[in-house]
């Protein structure tokens, strides 16, 4: 264990879990293993199957039961505390603590306070007991070619009595390991026990350093700090090394790398936290698996699924997101060398689409279920048909082309830069004409095979706002989406007025995959919804949802993280929707973090042009902040303070020289050159913005006062009028929804 002030960061994060809440608890070893349980009883209808240790998509054993002096400990009666690195259950005078170690498949289950004897039984019907050799028991794992070893701590003896393994109380607990052979599993325990204190200290220090150096945030708003620290660490749990560096899509089902999920999550998971080497390795890894068969209709695509035994290219949006995130990586890191390495992949990704998927209008066509709304029935018919040109796919294709131009210009490939830029312009022009209709205050969700727009109101339109310039239409579309799709607990996948809207994800009325993209709330969509609201000048409205998600991470579901889904409606007698889907989802956490850094804090770098946009939109509830953001090879340190009459911002450019683009409403944007070591001081009142640029010697080298922009004042007043009285979506009576009038049926299914 470490000691002193640094450890107190994690100590302050320790969460007490009450029996009535019975929350999910999850740890990864940052490689290929995760351990899942619930604080008091593992009874979740979808997740309980995965209780225990899971490695590389194999369930190894299903948790454990502890005994003290031959009496079974009742977890339901325990007092439970969860920290980012361990779980502690207090059973009266007994204390149980669970640890998972970094980069090794080893658990330590300690138990102190017993009199003479402690015992443990591993759970799992398919778990096969092999033998007891000296003080080590061996098992064949429930799945995969894995051997599990169980050994008491402190070289104490082990005996078997009525399926429970016993040892002396002085042992203080047990180690459980998993490896390919008995010898490897035993050696892993021996090595871990010999270095346990160091390994624990290293795990704690890794987390402390991450919070201090990568995602530092401090505020007198303690709940904000606590939530962001927890979200940052539970997000980082999913950044693993299962097949090289990657991001688990989610737990318990998706402990593998998905192209779509990977690149949606990448900004919030590793870019805003300055993990540029990890981001680089993820990008390089997916590039290695790019389809290079020019005769294949999937030529140029990167995988949708990159699992230990499965590579699949069946998605349209994963590849555009790969190219877009390559650009974002370069903007954050300044690593232009990667452009030389991956420009062929950029070129192939665009050429493959042009050859096989682009129509005469420049639209990127796709198969029916190749968008993120991909759930199908047993006959492979889509539950959410989006053929053949979905609006979000066109927006991603547009940004892929623009990113291609960005890279082509850097490489001096003027021919492709002009061709791709021209195509992007034509695509945007056609989109604005084909996806809008005066009778709808929002975009069509798709064009069908007959070129007809389909106007189901879905959140996908929020990704397509860069495809047109009409500011009032954007505001109308944002308001419509907010009031019809955005509930206090998140963004629904279909509006409540639609005849195929499903109020609940899990019910006996229908298969859960039928509801998956037809009403079910997807937490990752909160990011784009909040972003669009902030871009509309309404950060206070956006912050209501952000605040709710922080509250949810601290009080519901997995400790410190966000789930994949929720029901659209609360159940009768409840005031909050039920969490569903994966208990910890990468893109859910990542989008909460991305919108915090990029749109509330407003820091968006572009290191190719050596610029950083400073566009803070900090809500009134927050009166003080200190934070760090890694940019290129340096760090931007910032402070914020506010009272009724003034907001002050201080930015320190540590080890990085940048042009700072200052965007603070209602003042016009302005640009200043900040040398490494400089400090930029901004003081905003209602009437003026005072700016001081100070060099590293403390000398003021630039000072100016800026008056409000008349245009921006008018824009803000107009926006405030357009959003006056806006509110979250509210549930309708259940009898309003045809799907709820069906007879109940037995529902069995798995997540797509």
């Amino acid at each position: 264990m470490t000691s002193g002030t640094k450890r107190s960061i994690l100590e302050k994060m320790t969460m007490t879990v009450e029996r009535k809440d019975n929350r999910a608890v999850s740890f990864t070893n940052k490689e290929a293993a995760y351990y899942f349980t619930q604080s008091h009883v593992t009874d979740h209808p979808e997740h309980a199957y995965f209780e225990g240790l899971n490695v590389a998509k194999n369930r190894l054993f299903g948790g454990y039961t502890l005994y003290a002096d031959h009496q079974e400990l009742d977890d339901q009666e325990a007092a439970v505390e969860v920290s980012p690195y361990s779980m502690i259950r207090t059973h009266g005078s007994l204390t149980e603590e669970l640890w998972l170690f970094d980069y090794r498949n080893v658990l330590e289950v300690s138990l102190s306070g017993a009199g003479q004897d402690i015992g443990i039984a591993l759970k799992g019907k398919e778990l096969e007991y092999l033998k007891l050799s000296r003080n080590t028991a061996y098992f064949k794992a429930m799945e995969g070619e894995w051997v599990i070893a169980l050994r008491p701590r402190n070289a104490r003896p082990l005996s078997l009595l009525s399926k429970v393994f016993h040892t002396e109380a002085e042992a203080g607990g047990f180690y459980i390991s998993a490896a390919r052979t008995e010898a490897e599993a035993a050696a892993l325990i021996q090595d871990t026990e010999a270095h346990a204190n160091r390994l624990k200290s290293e795990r704690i220090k890794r987390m402390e350093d991450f919070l201090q150096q990568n995602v530092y945030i401090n505020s007198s708003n303690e709940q904000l700090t606590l939530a962001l620290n927890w979200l940052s660490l539970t997000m980082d749990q999913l950044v693993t090394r299962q097949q090289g560096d990657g991001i688990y899509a989610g737990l318990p089902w998706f402990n593998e790398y998905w192209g779509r999920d990977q690149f949606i999550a990448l900004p919030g998971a590793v870019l805003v936290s300055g993990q540029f080497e990890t981001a680089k390795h993820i990008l390089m890894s997916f590039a290695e698996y790019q389809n290079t068969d020019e005769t294949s209709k999937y030529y140029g695509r990167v995988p949708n699924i990159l699992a230990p035994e499965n590579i699949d290219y069946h998605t349209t949006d994963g590849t555009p997101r790969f190219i877009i995130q390559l650009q974002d990586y370069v903007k954050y890191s300044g690593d232009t060398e990667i452009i030389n390495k991956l420009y062929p992949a950029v070129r192939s990704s665009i050429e493959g689409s042009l050859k096989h998927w682009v129509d005469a209008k420049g639209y990127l066509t796709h198969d029916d279920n190749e968008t993120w709304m991909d759930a199908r029935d047993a006959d492979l018919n889509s539950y959410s048909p989006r053929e053949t040109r979905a609006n979000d796919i066109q927006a991603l294709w547009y940004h892929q082309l623009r990113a291609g131009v960005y890279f082509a210009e850097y490489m001096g490939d003027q021919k492709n830069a002009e061709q791709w830029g021209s195509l992007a312009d034509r695509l945007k022009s056609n989109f604005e004409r084909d996806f809008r209709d005066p009778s709808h205050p929002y975009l069509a969700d798709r064009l069908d095979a007959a070129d007809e727009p389909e106007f189901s109101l879905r959140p996908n339109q929020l990704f397509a706002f860069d495809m047109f310039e009409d500011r009032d239409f954007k505001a109308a579309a944002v308001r419509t989406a907010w009031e019809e799709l955005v509930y206090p607990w998140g963004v629904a996948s279909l509006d409540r007025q639609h005849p195929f809207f499903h109020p609940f994800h899990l019910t006996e009325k229908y298969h859960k995959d039928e509801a998956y993209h037809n009403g079910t709330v997807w937490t990752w969509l909160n990011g784009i919804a909040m972003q669009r609201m902030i871009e509309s000048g309404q950060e206070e409205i956006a912050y209501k949802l952000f605040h709710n998600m922080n509250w949810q991470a601290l009080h519901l579901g997995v400790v410190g993280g966000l789930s994949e889904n929720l029901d659209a409606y609360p159940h009768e007698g409840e005031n909050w929707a039920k969490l569903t889907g994966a208990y910890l989802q990468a893109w859910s956490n990542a989008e909460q973090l991305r919108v915090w850094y990029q749109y509330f804090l407003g820091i968006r770098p572009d290191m190719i042009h050596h610029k950083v946009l400073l566009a803070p939109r900090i809500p009134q509830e927050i009166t003080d902040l200190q934070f760090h953001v890694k940019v290129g090879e340096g760090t931007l340190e910032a402070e914020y303070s506010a009272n009724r009459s003034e907001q002050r911002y201080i930015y320190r450019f540590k080890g990085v020289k940048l042009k700072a683009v200052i965007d603070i409403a209602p003042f016009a944007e302005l640009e200043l050159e900040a040398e490494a070591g400089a400090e930029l001081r901004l003081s905003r009142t209602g009437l003026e913005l005072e700016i001081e640029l100070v060099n590293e010697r403390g000398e003021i080298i630039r000072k100016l006062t800026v008056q409000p922009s008349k245009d921006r004042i008018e824009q803000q007043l107009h926006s405030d009028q357009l959003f006056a009285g806006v509110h979250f979506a509210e549930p309708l009576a259940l009898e309003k929804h045809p799907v709820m009038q069906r007879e109940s049926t037995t529902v069995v299914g798995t997540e797509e």
Side-chain angles (χ1 to χ4, degrees):
M1 298 282 188
T2 61
S3 60
T5 57
K6 276 196 173 183
R7 187 177 175 228
S8 68
I9 298 170
L10 300 184
E11 288 178 334
K12 289 177 181 177
M13 293 173 63
T14 299
M15 305 276 282
T16 298
V17 182
E18 302 294 337
R19 177 183 176 184
K20 62 181 176 60
D21 297 322
N22 191 34
R23 299 184 67 180
V25 179
S26 182
F27 304 102
T28 75
N29 71 350
K30 291 285 288 177
E31 191 167 61
Y34 74 91
Y35 190 90
F36 164 73
T37 186
Q38 287 174 250
S39 57
H40 292 80
V41 56
T42 305
D43 61 357
H44 193 283
E46 295 186 293
H47 303 153
Y49 177 82
F50 294 92
E51 181 184 17
L53 185 65
N54 298 259
V55 180
K57 296 198 68 68
N58 296 136
R59 295 163 56 237
L60 269 57
F61 69 93
Y64 59 84
T65 302
L66 288 178
Y67 298 80
D69 299 315
H70 299 276
Q71 295 295 312
E72 180 179 338
L73 301 186
D74 185 357
D75 294 341
Q76 295 187 65
E77 298 299 323
V80 180
E81 291 185 334
V82 180
S83 78
Y85 52 82
S86 74
M87 177 182 68
I88 296 176
R89 291 190 181 112
T90 303
H91 309 265
S93 61
L94 303 170
T95 301
E96 165 198 353
E97 186 166 10
L98 169 70
W99 278 82
L100 181 61
F101 294 90
D102 280 355
Y103 309 116
R104 51 180 66 202
N105 300 331
V106 183
L107 286 170
E108 181 189 73
V109 181
S110 64
L111 184 60
S112 61
Q116 301 293 323
D117 176 275
I118 60 174
I120 190 170
L122 300 189
K123 297 190 286 186
K125 284 185 178 180
E126 302 88 349
L127 184 66
E128 180 183 345
Y129 170 59
L130 298 175
K131 65 180 182 182
L132 175 61
S133 177
R134 300 177 67 181
N135 68 339
T136 305
Y138 297 95
F139 306 81
K140 185 180 185 301
M142 293 189 294
E143 296 175 355
E145 299 302 316
W146 294 91
V147 173
I148 297 167
L150 168 69
R151 180 184 296 174
R153 296 168 55 191
N154 301 315
R156 299 297 180 177
L158 187 68
S159 61
L160 177 62
L161 178 64
S162 300
K163 299 183 179 181
V164 177
F165 291 90
H166 293 266
T167 191
E168 301 165 0
E170 288 84 354
F174 303 88
Y175 287 103
I176 307 166
S177 70
R180 294 300 186 179
T181 67
E182 293 177 5
E184 290 173 350
L188 191 53
I189 289 179
Q190 184 173 346
D191 183 73
T192 301
E193 183 168 23
H195 303 101
N197 288 338
R198 174 178 62 80
L199 293 170
K200 288 180 180 179
S201 294
E202 288 175 353
R203 184 167 169 89
I204 288 174
K205 187 175 186 302
R206 172 179 62 79
M207 295 179 184
E208 289 174 341
D209 288 349
F210 185 69
L211 293 181
Q212 287 277 39
Q213 300 171 15
N214 291 74
V215 292
Y216 178 76
I217 175 74
N218 188 41
S219 172
S220 61
N221 187 324
E222 294 180 357
Q223 291 302 294
L224 174 72
T225 304
L226 181 62
L228 288 169
N229 282 341
W230 263 109
L231 286 162
S232 294
L233 287 180
T234 53
M235 178 68 257
D236 193 56
Q237 279 192 29
L238 301 179
V239 180
T240 64
R241 297 179 181 174
Q242 182 160 287
Q243 281 179 279
D245 287 325
I247 305 169
Y248 276 168
L251 300 176
W253 298 288
F254 311 129
N255 53 325
E256 59 196 352
Y257 304 158
W258 287 58
R260 173 189 299 123
D261 299 53
Q262 194 96 184
F263 298 118
I264 290 172
L266 193 136
V270 293
L271 291 185
V272 301
S273 57
Q275 299 181 82
F276 300 146
E277 279 299 305
T278 300
K280 178 180 179 178
H281 293 157
I282 291 171
L283 292 161
M284 296 294 290
S285 174
F286 267 78
E288 286 182 18
Y289 292 96
Q290 186 179 34
N291 189 313
T292 57
D293 179 2
E294 295 188 25
T295 65
S296 168
K297 70 176 184 177
Y298 299 130
Y299 169 59
R301 286 190 181 184
V302 296
N304 184 39
I305 300 175
L306 185 56
E309 297 179 359
N310 182 27
I311 298 176
D312 177 72
Y313 296 95
H314 193 69
T315 187
T316 298
D317 51 347
T319 302
R321 289 188 181 278
F322 164 69
I323 303 301
I324 294 163
Q325 289 315 309
L326 175 60
Q327 182 182 29
D328 282 354
Y329 162 73
V330 174
K331 286 182 173 182
Y332 267 88
S333 69
D335 175 15
T336 54
E337 181 58 32
I338 198 173
I339 303 175
N340 296 302
K341 295 177 180 177
L342 293 189
Y343 186 62
V346 174
R347 196 168 54 235
S348 296
S349 74
I350 295 174
E351 289 173 351
S353 292
L354 291 173
K355 183 176 181 180
H356 297 290
W357 296 97
V358 175
D359 68 10
K361 288 187 172 182
Y363 292 128
L364 183 62
T365 64
H366 51 84
D367 290 339
D368 191 35
N369 69 315
E370 285 197 332
T371 78
W372 76 275
M373 290 185 165
D374 56 1
R376 293 181 289 178
D377 64 18
D379 297 321
L380 302 184
N381 297 311
S382 176
Y383 282 123
S384 308
R386 302 192 69 219
E387 84 296 348
T388 55
R389 286 150 294 180
N391 57 16
D392 54 325
I393 297 298
Q394 307 320 309
L396 291 170
W397 171 230
Y398 173 79
H399 285 294
Q400 180 183 1
L401 290 168
R402 288 293 180 207
V405 172
Y406 181 89
F407 294 127
E409 289 178 345
Y410 179 84
M411 295 295 293
D413 183 358
Q414 199 58 37
K415 179 181 177 181
N416 276 325
E418 291 176 1
Q419 179 187 347
W420 298 340
S422 176
L423 177 57
D425 290 340
R426 179 158 56 94
L427 171 67
K428 183 176 181 180
S429 176
N430 286 328
F431 184 96
E432 187 163 8
R433 181 173 58 253
D434 293 342
F435 280 79
R436 289 181 57 181
D437 182 314
S439 63
H440 294 90
Y442 57 89
L443 295 172
D445 187 61
R446 67 183 190 273
L447 300 182
D448 64 19
D451 267 1
E452 292 298 320
E454 198 281 328
F455 279 93
S456 293
L457 176 54
R458 296 182 180 276
N460 307 304
Q461 64 160 324
L462 295 170
F463 294 101
F465 279 18
D466 296 331
M467 304 295 287
F468 59 93
E469 305 300 330
D470 187 334
R471 189 174 292 162
D472 282 359
F473 182 82
K474 287 183 183 182
V478 170
R479 177 163 189 153
T480 300
W482 200 269
E483 294 188 328
E484 296 295 335
L485 296 169
V486 183
Y487 295 85
W489 38 86
V491 181
S493 44
L494 183 64
D495 87 274
R496 62 206 170 130
Q497 311 288 348
H498 197 286
F500 206 52
F501 174 81
H502 292 62
F504 306 109
H505 188 186
L506 305 178
T507 176
E508 295 180 350
K509 295 285 187 179
Y510 42 76
H511 193 289
K512 66 179 181 179
D513 284 352
E514 183 179 319
Y516 205 30
H517 302 112
N518 293 305
T520 297
V521 162
W522 288 77
T523 317
W524 79 276
L525 295 169
N526 296 353
I528 191 63
M530 289 186 282
Q531 176 184 328
R532 296 309 188 201
M533 191 60 82
I534 293 168
E535 289 172 339
S536 299
Q538 303 297 321
E539 61 267 18
E540 295 298 334
I541 298 171
Y543 187 68
K544 292 177 182 178
L545 182 57
F546 186 82
H547 181 276
N548 287 354
M549 290 302 98
N550 287 345
W551 176 88
Q552 186 167 293
L554 295 179
H555 294 94
L556 298 179
V558 68
V559 174
L562 295 174
S563 65
E564 178 187 16
N565 304 117
L566 293 92
D567 290 333
Y569 286 6
H571 285 270
E572 186 176 357
E574 300 291 331
N575 59 11
W576 200 264
K578 180 181 178 182
L579 280 62
T580 67
Y583 63 78
L584 178 61
Q585 190 77 356
W587 58 15
S588 300
N589 269 36
E591 279 294 277
Q592 181 81 349
L593 294 168
R594 181 191 68 83
V595 82
W596 168 251
Y597 281 96
Q598 293 184 350
Y599 287 90
F600 284 112
L601 298 183
I603 297 177
R604 304 197 285 279
D606 182 356
M607 291 303 294
I608 276 190
H609 298 108
H610 303 287
K611 287 185 178 182
V612 61
L613 177 66
L614 305 177
R617 303 292 187 266
I618 298 174
Q620 293 177 6
E621 178 185 295
I622 303 170
T623 58
D624 64 289
L625 279 173
Q626 303 86 44
F627 58 92
H628 299 168
V629 178
K630 289 183 176 290
V631 179
E633 296 182 355
T635 301
L636 194 62
E637 296 181 357
E639 297 179 16
Y640 169 78
S641 60
N643 55 43
R644 290 184 178 181
S645 60
E646 182 185 28
Q647 294 87 47
R648 292 183 58 83
Y649 309 83
I650 299 175
Y651 299 95
R652 300 183 183 93
F653 297 80
K654 300 291 187 177
V656 61
K657 174 183 177 181
L658 291 170
K659 293 177 183 176
V661 181
I662 303 167
D663 176 5
I664 297 179
F667 308 95
E669 283 189 13
L670 59 94
E671 186 174 300
L672 293 176
E673 190 87 40
E675 298 286 339
E679 181 173 288
L680 178 62
R681 303 169 182 169
L682 311 175
S683 175
R684 176 194 183 277
T685 65
L687 299 177
E688 60 186 22
L689 178 66
E690 293 185 355
I691 300 172
E692 288 184 349
L693 186 63
V694 181
N695 65 20
E696 59 185 339
R697 295 183 298 278
E699 301 165 343
I700 298 175
I701 57 175
R702 187 85 183 272
K703 185 171 184 177
L704 62 156
T705 300
V706 182
Q707 302 302 315
S709 160
K710 182 180 178 181
D711 287 344
R712 293 198 74 171
I713 290 174
E714 290 176 353
Q715 288 174 17
Q716 187 64 54
L717 289 173
H718 186 54
S719 176
D720 291 345
Q721 291 172 350
L722 293 174
F723 285 95
V726 68
H727 56 81
F728 285 119
E730 299 173 352
L732 303 176
L734 290 181
E735 58 266 23
K736 298 282 188 180
H737 305 297
V739 297
M740 297 305 296
Q741 309 312 312
R742 301 177 185 173
E743 295 293 327
S744 295
T745 183
T746 302
V747 176
V748 178
T750 58
E751 303 293 341
E752 292 291 331

